[in-house]
Amino acid sequence: MPAAQRPMCLKNPYKPQYGGGIVVNPELNHGLSGWSTFGGAKIEHRVSGGNSFIVAHSRSQPFDSFSQNFDLQNDKLYTFSAWIQVSDGNVPVTAVFKTTSGFKQAGAVIAESGCWSMLKGGLTVDVSGPSKLYFESNNTSVEIWVDNISLRPFTKEEWRSHQDQSIEKTRKGKVRIQAVDANGKSLAGAKISIKQKQLSFPLGSAISKQILTNTAYQNWFASRFRVTTFENELKWASTEPSQGKEDYSVPDAMLQFAKQHGIAVRGHNIFWDDPRYLPYWVNSLSPSQLQEAAEKRITSAVTRYIGQFIAWDVVNENMHFSFYESKLGSDASAVFYKRAHQLDKTTHMFLN
């Protein structure tokens, strides 16, 4: 499961994005219209401070909540958002779509009592057909409150258009240039040549070890990018191909190249949850041996590069795969993140 967001928590939620999109009764202003019970929960409509919302209580299973039916298409991209509150404490809540091909998580948030937190995410589906939105939390003692839900489909063309508009708005600006003499008088017909020496926008791309021996590659890359990550050279299978025989010489050299050219580096990655890309010897380890090897790996990688990366991808693709969870328990990723943060408190930890 992805790490839940912990965003701002507001007294009153914002209006639903895109007017709720295709959600029926997104603001819960019409009672429970469009919503039904999911699992064994009891649901009810409540109003507080002039704000209407839906509540799931008397929950005995994590998935006990409320739901709404949708017909999702595999050629669409869906944005999803909702405002969440719980009756007590700070509790992770996940939005899930039950589809014909399986369960799709649309996002998660750490919800709090006494204020509203925004869950923001999205999803795609493998097969077109009926689906059912519901919310879940492993803490069954709390009530789940939800308001101002939005599910908005986009075609790929619409999505690309939206990206282009965002680029025009946030990444570009207009520049006015005036040529003047020493007295500030405009010079008619002056010819101006402009050379960009440094990018202000953090544009990045991955690099491979070939950059270490290819001058043309080095010059081309350093003239264009300010951020990078290594393709495979820092992965566990690359730095410890044989158990107990670590070799960081290649990523060390790539990091040195980046530093020499003022290029920031994102660490990718400490663990990969896809069993196809593990060091060959890891698959044969017992759970206790794997635990020991994983602790050695995370300590070795993180302590070696403390303060040298702008971010670490602690776990790669654990929304798609679950090797470590199947061997070490469902909280394996959480344990990895906690340990990485203990070792390096200044670097941001990400799920890729």
Side-chain angles (χ1 to χ4, degrees):
M1 174 179 169
Q5 317 162 42
R6 189 151 196 172
M8 60 182 178
C9 202
L10 305 180
K11 181 179 179 180
N12 294 304
Y14 294 154
K15 292 290 185 178
Q17 292 187 307
Y18 308 110
I22 59 175
V23 175
V24 175
N25 190 20
E27 298 184 56
L28 283 305
N29 290 333
H30 305 288
L32 296 177
S33 176
W35 298 91
S36 59
T37 300
F38 191 88
K42 294 182 179 179
I43 66 173
E44 62 181 77
H45 179 260
R46 292 183 190 172
V47 179
S48 177
N51 187 56
S52 301
F53 53 95
I54 189 171
V55 175
H57 62 87
S58 304
R59 303 171 53 246
S60 60
Q61 298 292 332
F63 53 79
D64 288 342
S65 62
F66 30 76
S67 67
Q68 187 167 137
N69 295 325
F70 299 93
D71 185 24
L72 302 185
Q73 306 299 310
N74 65 356
D75 61 346
K76 299 290 178 63
L77 305 170
Y78 292 87
T79 62
F80 177 81
S81 62
W83 287 85
I84 316 292
Q85 187 172 164
V86 290
S87 57
D88 185 56
N90 305 316
V91 178
V93 177
T94 304
V96 183
F97 282 80
K98 182 180 180 182
T99 73
T100 56
S101 62
F103 295 87
K104 298 281 186 177
Q105 294 185 356
V109 70
I110 298 177
E112 301 183 32
S113 61
C115 57
W116 294 94
S117 298
M118 186 183 190
L119 184 158
K120 189 175 183 180
L123 77 157
T124 59
V125 293
D126 304 316
V127 180
S128 298
S131 68
K132 189 180 290 286
L133 163 69
Y134 68 94
F135 297 83
E136 66 178 22
S137 174
N138 289 333
N139 188 336
T140 58
S141 66
V142 300
E143 297 178 350
I144 299 176
W145 305 359
V146 178
D147 194 11
N148 294 356
I149 309 97
S150 175
L151 182 66
R152 172 70 157 84
F154 291 90
T155 64
K156 292 181 179 179
E157 292 74 20
E158 289 172 331
W159 191 262
R160 173 56 64 183
S161 174
H162 179 71
Q163 288 180 318
D164 291 341
Q165 291 174 22
S166 296
I167 289 172
E168 291 291 332
K169 181 179 179 180
T170 63
R171 299 188 186 181
K172 294 183 178 181
K174 294 182 178 180
V175 177
R176 185 169 181 260
I177 298 173
Q178 185 177 19
V180 298
D181 61 18
N183 297 317
K185 184 178 180 180
S186 297
L187 297 174
K191 293 183 179 181
I192 299 173
S193 176
I194 299 174
K195 182 178 181 181
Q196 181 171 292
K197 301 183 68 175
Q198 185 177 6
L199 296 170
S200 62
F201 187 82
L203 183 66
S205 180
I207 56 174
S208 70
K209 62 184 178 182
Q210 278 71 35
I211 203 167
L212 299 175
T213 56
N214 189 323
T215 303
Y217 186 6
Q218 294 174 4
N219 295 336
W220 179 87
F221 192 91
S223 67
R224 287 165 171 78
F225 301 107
R226 295 182 58 224
V227 185
T228 191
T229 192
F230 308 155
E231 290 182 355
N232 297 301
E233 291 78 6
L234 195 52
K235 294 170 182 173
W236 195 0
S238 298
T239 60
E240 194 178 359
S242 298
Q243 188 172 13
K245 296 182 179 180
E246 293 182 335
D247 183 359
Y248 286 91
S249 60
V250 173
D252 283 353
M254 295 170 71
L255 177 60
Q256 185 61 30
F257 162 79
K259 287 181 176 179
Q260 289 173 349
H261 293 86
I263 300 170
V265 178
R266 181 187 182 101
H268 178 77
N269 53 57
I270 301 175
F271 297 109
W272 197 345
D273 239 335
D274 188 341
R276 296 174 297 175
Y277 300 108
L278 298 170
Y280 78 92
W281 51 270
V282 168
N283 281 291
S284 62
L285 299 180
S286 66
S288 61
Q289 291 172 329
L290 177 60
Q291 183 70 56
E292 182 179 352
E295 169 63 23
K296 181 174 178 291
R297 160 63 177 173
I298 198 168
T299 301
S300 173
V302 175
T303 57
R304 187 179 191 88
Y305 298 108
I306 285 178
Q308 300 186 73
F309 292 153
I310 57 172
W312 258 119
D313 289 332
V314 179
V315 182
N316 192 46
E317 296 187 1
N318 84 341
M319 292 182 69
H320 313 300
F321 304 98
S322 55
F323 173 81
Y324 294 101
E325 288 74 14
S326 67
K327 299 287 186 179
L328 304 177
S330 60
D331 64 342
S333 289
V335 171
F336 294 155
Y337 280 91
K338 182 177 180 180
R339 180 58 176 154
H341 181 67
Q342 288 174 342
L343 294 168
D344 184 358
K345 291 182 171 62
T346 62
T347 300
H348 295 292
M349 304 294 169
F350 282 86
L351 163 69
N352 188 55

